[in-house]
Every structure is written in structure tokens, then in C-alpha cells.
Amino acid sequence: MGAGAVATGTGGSEGFAHLIDPNRKWYSNRRLILLHAWIVLLLITSSTNGFDGSLLNSFQSLPSWQTYFNQPAGGRLGLLNAIQNIGSLAGYPFAPYLSDGLGRRPAIWIGSTIMLVAVALQAAAQNWGMFIGARFLIGFGLSLASNAAPLLVTEISYPAYRAPLTSLYNSLWYSGNIVATWSTFGCQYIASNWAWRIPSILQGIVPGCQFLLIWFAPESPRFLISKGKEAQALKILAYYHSDGDEQDPLVQFEFQEIKAAIDLDRTVSSNVGWKSLVATPGNRRRMVIIVAIAFFSQWSGNGLVSYYLKDVLDNIGITNSTIQLLINGILAIWNLFWAVLASFFVERLGRRFLFITSASGMLLFFIFQTVCSAQYALHKTDAAAHAVIAFIFLFYASYDLAFTPLIVSYTVEILPYSLRAKGFNIFNFSISLSIIFNQYVNPIALARIAWKYYIVYCCWLAFELAFCYFMIVETKNLSLEETAALFDGEDAQKNIQNAGHDRKVISSLPLLSFRVFYSV
């Protein structure tokens, strides 16, 4: 396989860019403001994920929680951290069928309902079993909501803002991380079990908002068209993308291109069912990339800090619980800053550049972190310990350039509509598998070989860099439908174009033509 794909022809986003009204800005158009309010409601699903995923990391530094659950360690601690993802694994078989069968909104509402029940159980937990059961249900409900939410974000976004908004989805993981970390930091001074019960209750804020409001948000036009509700889909596109004008050139371009792509998928047997994910060379390439970046997002050394920061800090002599919580809280803010910043440069710098830069920086700084950890272990120098903390922050700045903002947005944009829910489900499934492995193996490896375990990640990061260089395909400035040409070849784009011409509706609208080259 060569170094990637190059798109040529009319170039970039000319397929629809000239149809966008330059005066329609997100901050000055009433309907775009409303659309983005609904998108925020969807984006904070990732905040729930960040809150739930990092809460136990904070609880491990909380004396009252440690005492209440009898100082969990080793395999017991690994199970506690992994059970949420085990719950997610249980929910994944149902997630794409809810998203594709009932719609994006019902899937989010069902997931939010389950999470609200789970939050009540966790906050009222009286024993280990009740706490474990609550964590399982949180993972189950989250798998349903997090499968549908980013799909709906990318499918209703105004074309000019789709890439940064979809990239913001996973970046806002850290907003939940911040609330979990700092609420636990503040509650540590409560001299009772409410020190961990209050942060547990706060988990219910986002699911509660979605439970009450999601039915007022627009449904995906692509979902509606796939169910034969074309008039309703056109109305939604027109209302939010052209102030209600159904004959607006941009709206007609989007509407006809979506119809053409979905109709084409229906006529191709290889795009139906789970086997379609690996039925063609283009789909197999998609799945290799999607599964790889899912594992990379958790196996880059970040899992050590995300779930076992206490153990990492213990290994360099920082054992005070207040200082540990403070470092965790500052790191969360640092991560949010870099992830959000990268989200707004996705279209300008491109996905491929960000992935390669991110992997290069992670490899460099993790090597430095390993060396300094070894120096502290051998010589107990304070300077080495402080350097470890500095390199953790620099490592995460590199990680956040791509593996926070892009892994979700890149996954959903390279998948055609017929495969999007199933393919994204495979992505989430792969992440859960990688996290479960991390949560069982990391604490055992850290306890037995300490800093030497970091060498494994240094070798793995070198492999990640090579993979990104040879496999990542650039998709900047393309519509969701146009990215098909990068994986399925020139014929796919021609078929979509011809289907649109057959309707004699968009024959006068220029579609992007591509030639895809792969170096051998």
C-alpha cells in the first residue's frame, strides 16, 4: 500500500463551496444559532463519556471512597475500571439497529434513560455489587447514546461547519473530565461518603438534559431519506441550512446528493449487512484504518495516565492525594485546550498532517518520559520526577492534536451512510476492547516492572507513526458523500453523479470529480 490518496480535479470543496452564502454565519443567523444549540446538546454526550471514564481515576485518590470499598487494588481495581466498558460491549450489538432502525434521536433518548437509572444506583450504592452494577448500566446506556450522537452531529451540521463541529465531539470528552476531576477535588474535604456520592450524582446532568430535550432536536435528513420520508428531510435541510427555502441551490445539492448516494447503496448488494464492512477493497481499507485508530487512541500510553495516574505519580514519589487530584485537574484543562484548538484547524491543516504530527510528538515525549522515570527509579532525584510531569503534559498536547478531535470525526466521514452506524459501532467496540485490556494489564504491569513497562509503549508508538504515514487518507474540504471516491475509486463518484443527473434536478450543479492515485 502506498503513502495515501491524492484527490485532483476541480479540487477541494468546490462541489458545494460556491453554493454557501458567505453572509450566513453561525453567530448572526437565528436558525443556525438554533441548529448549533441542538448540536451542543448532542456534543455533550462525549462529556458524559469523559465524566464517567475519568471519575474512578479521581475516586482512587479519594480516601473516603477507598475506605468505603476496602482499598480496591490489582484485579479488583481492574474489574472496577473495566466494568463500564464491559457494559458498553453488551450494548454495542443493539446500538446500530436502534440508530438505523428507530432513528438517531430515539437511540439517544433510550441511552440517556438507562444512564439516569444507573446514576441513581451508583449515587445510592450501599455495597460493592451495587456500585459494579451501576457502572455496568452506565456503560450500556452510554454505548447506545454515543453511537447515535456523533452521527447526528455530522448529518445535520451546516456544511461549512461540519468538520470542526464533528471534531469537537470527542474533544469535549475533556469537559466531562474537568467536571469529574474538579468536583471530586472540591468534595474531598467533605468528611463523609458524600465526598464521592455528590460527583456520582453530577453524572446525571447531561443524560437528564438529553432525556428532556432530545425530541425537540432535528432528526437526521439522511435517516429520513433512507426511510422514504423525503419531504420531511428536505424541510429540515431547508429550515436550518437556507432559512426555509427548499429550492435553495445548496439545499437541493445536499438533498439530491444524499438521495443519490443512498439509492446507489441500495442497488449494491455489497453495501448491505455486516459482511459489507469487509466486502470490497475500499471497505476493508476503511475498517483497517478505523480499528487501528480506535486501538491507537487507547494504546498510546495515554491509558496509563487516564486510568492509573495515581500509580504513575506514586512511582515518581508524588503520593499526596491533594497534589494528585490537582495535577489531574490541571491536566484535564490542558487537554481540553489543545483538543479544541486542533478541532478548528482540521480543515486548514488536514487530517493526515495532524495524525502524523501527533504520532511523532507522542513518540518523542513518551521516550523522554520513560528516560526520566528510569532516572527517578534509579537515583530518586526530584528533578527527574518533575520532568516526568512536564513530559506527561507535552505528550498529551501531542496526543490531542489528532487522537482526541479526529478519531470520531474521521471515522464517521469516511463511512458511507449505509455503513456509518455499523462501522462506527465497530469503532466503539474496538475502543472498549482496548480499554478493557489496558485496565486489566496496566495496573499489574506497573506494579511488577514499573517504568520498564513504558518501553513497550515506545515501540508501539513507533508502529503507530508508520501506520499513520502509510495509511491515513486526506479528506479535508469534502462532503460526506464525496469521501466515497477516496476509498471506492472514481466509479463510485461517477455513479452518484449519474444518479443525480437521472433525476434532472442537479444536472446543472457541478459535482467534484476525482482521480485517486496510490503509489506502489
Side-chain angles (χ1 to χ4, degrees):
M1 190 64 68
V6 180
T8 63
T10 56
S13 59
E14 282 83 351
F16 61 84
H18 68 288
L19 303 175
I20 295 176
D21 182 356
N23 295 319
R24 295 192 84 243
K25 303 295 185 182
W26 69 267
Y27 52 83
S28 61
N29 183 277
R30 182 178 61 85
R31 294 191 182 182
L32 278 183
I33 292 173
L34 178 61
L35 176 62
H36 288 122
W38 295 128
I39 289 175
V40 168
L41 182 68
L42 303 171
L43 292 175
I44 57 177
T45 306
S46 186
S47 301
T48 304
N49 196 359
F51 194 112
D52 297 338
S54 56
L55 189 61
L56 288 184
N57 197 19
S58 298
F59 280 178
Q60 290 171 52
S61 297
L62 205 58
S64 61
W65 182 86
Q66 290 278 2
T67 301
Y68 194 84
F69 291 106
N70 299 316
Q71 310 291 330
R76 186 178 172 91
L77 179 59
L79 173 62
L80 184 60
N81 273 314
I83 192 63
Q84 179 184 331
N85 288 288
I86 294 173
S88 293
L89 288 177
Y92 288 145
F94 306 98
Y97 294 103
L98 289 175
S99 293
D100 283 344
L102 298 180
R104 312 316 197 199
R105 295 183 305 170
I108 295 170
W109 185 84
I110 293 171
S112 297
T113 302
I114 294 172
M115 282 189 283
L116 286 174
V117 173
V119 166
L121 287 175
Q122 180 176 318
Q126 299 299 307
N127 51 54
W128 176 261
M130 194 172 176
F131 195 87
I132 287 287
R135 300 298 298 171
F136 177 90
L137 283 178
I138 286 175
F140 189 93
L142 186 59
S143 70
L144 305 182
S146 62
N147 177 268
L151 305 185
L152 189 52
V153 169
T154 199
E155 290 170 357
I156 66 175
S157 293
Y158 191 63
Y161 303 125
R162 177 181 60 82
L165 284 173
T166 311
S167 299
L168 273 175
Y169 177 84
N170 207 50
S171 300
L172 290 182
W173 189 96
Y174 289 117
S175 63
N177 180 212
I178 289 171
V179 176
T181 301
W182 286 101
S183 63
T184 306
F185 180 82
C187 290
Q188 69 174 315
Y189 300 105
I190 299 175
S192 71
N193 290 324
W194 284 104
W196 59 268
R197 294 190 191 276
I198 290 176
S200 295
I201 292 172
L202 294 178
Q203 288 178 104
I205 293 176
V206 172
C209 291
Q210 292 180 330
F211 177 86
L212 295 173
L213 299 174
I214 193 61
W215 296 111
F216 299 100
E219 182 55 273
S220 164
R222 288 167 176 83
F223 167 78
L224 294 172
I225 290 173
S226 74
K227 298 301 181 182
K229 301 178 180 180
E230 296 180 0
Q232 188 177 347
L234 180 59
K235 184 177 180 181
I236 289 174
L237 284 171
Y239 184 87
Y240 289 105
H241 292 187
S242 64
D243 295 324
D245 182 5
E246 294 185 1
Q247 299 306 314
D248 179 82
L250 174 63
V251 169
Q252 281 296 317
F253 179 90
E254 293 182 279
F255 181 65
Q256 297 298 339
E257 190 176 47
I258 294 168
K259 286 177 65 179
I262 291 176
D263 286 348
L264 179 62
D265 287 337
R266 287 171 175 162
T267 64
V268 180
S269 60
S270 62
N271 283 339
V272 178
W274 288 94
K275 289 183 179 179
S276 62
L277 295 172
V278 292
T280 67
N283 288 349
R284 288 192 290 273
R285 182 177 173 87
R286 286 183 176 100
M287 295 315 299
V288 168
I289 293 173
I290 287 169
V291 172
I293 63 175
F295 276 87
F296 292 169
S297 72
Q298 303 302 320
W299 283 8
S300 297
N302 55 304
L304 294 172
V305 175
S306 295
Y307 297 97
Y308 297 102
L309 179 61
K310 179 182 183 299
D311 292 346
V312 172
L313 295 178
D314 285 345
N315 282 338
I316 58 173
I318 299 175
T319 57
N320 182 277
S321 61
T322 300
I323 294 177
Q324 289 180 347
L325 286 169
L326 187 61
I327 291 173
N328 197 18
I330 295 173
L331 184 61
I333 296 172
W334 172 264
N335 284 329
L336 180 64
F337 169 79
W338 283 103
V340 170
L341 181 66
S343 297
F344 289 104
F345 283 90
V346 167
E347 290 290 69
R348 182 175 299 179
L349 299 178
R351 283 68 159 167
R352 181 176 164 80
F353 173 82
L354 289 174
F355 270 116
I356 293 175
T357 303
S358 177
S360 300
M362 286 193 296
L363 175 59
L364 177 65
F365 294 126
F366 203 86
I367 290 173
F368 289 156
Q369 180 183 333
T370 302
V371 171
C372 293
S373 296
Q375 287 296 309
Y376 180 82
L378 296 173
H379 305 294
K380 302 298 181 184
T381 57
D382 290 340
H386 296 157
V388 169
I389 296 174
F391 285 125
I392 286 175
F393 276 77
L394 291 173
F395 167 86
Y396 264 102
S398 298
Y399 177 91
D400 293 329
L401 291 179
F403 288 92
T404 297
L406 289 182
I407 57 171
V408 169
S409 62
Y410 192 73
T411 296
V412 298
E413 71 185 9
I414 68 175
L415 289 165
Y417 176 81
S418 62
L419 304 180
R420 194 166 293 143
K422 292 183 177 68
F424 189 60
N425 202 50
I426 294 295
F427 167 82
N428 284 325
F429 181 82
S430 300
I431 282 185
S432 291
L433 282 181
S434 61
I435 290 176
I436 290 171
F437 176 87
N438 272 357
Q439 290 167 335
Y440 272 112
V441 172
N442 283 343
I444 297 172
L446 283 172
R448 292 184 179 179
I449 59 176
W451 66 268
K452 298 182 184 69
Y453 183 45
Y454 297 168
I455 298 174
V456 175
Y457 282 108
C458 291
C459 298
W460 180 256
L461 284 165
F463 169 74
E464 287 187 17
L465 176 58
F467 182 94
C468 290
Y469 180 81
F470 288 107
M471 293 295 290
I472 295 297
V473 179
E474 185 55 71
T475 62
K476 70 176 179 178
N477 295 324
L478 304 178
S479 73
L480 290 176
E481 283 67 36
E482 287 165 346
T483 57
L486 295 179
F487 290 88
D488 300 325
E490 186 177 354
D491 289 344
Q493 184 65 24
K494 285 182 178 178
N495 287 334
I496 293 175
Q497 184 174 2
N498 290 338
H501 281 288
D502 288 343
R503 294 189 184 89
K504 298 181 180 180
V505 176
I506 57 169
S507 58
S508 62
L509 295 177
L511 279 172
L512 186 61
S513 61
F514 291 93
R515 289 178 295 167
V516 182
F517 299 96
Y518 292 97
S519 58
V520 179

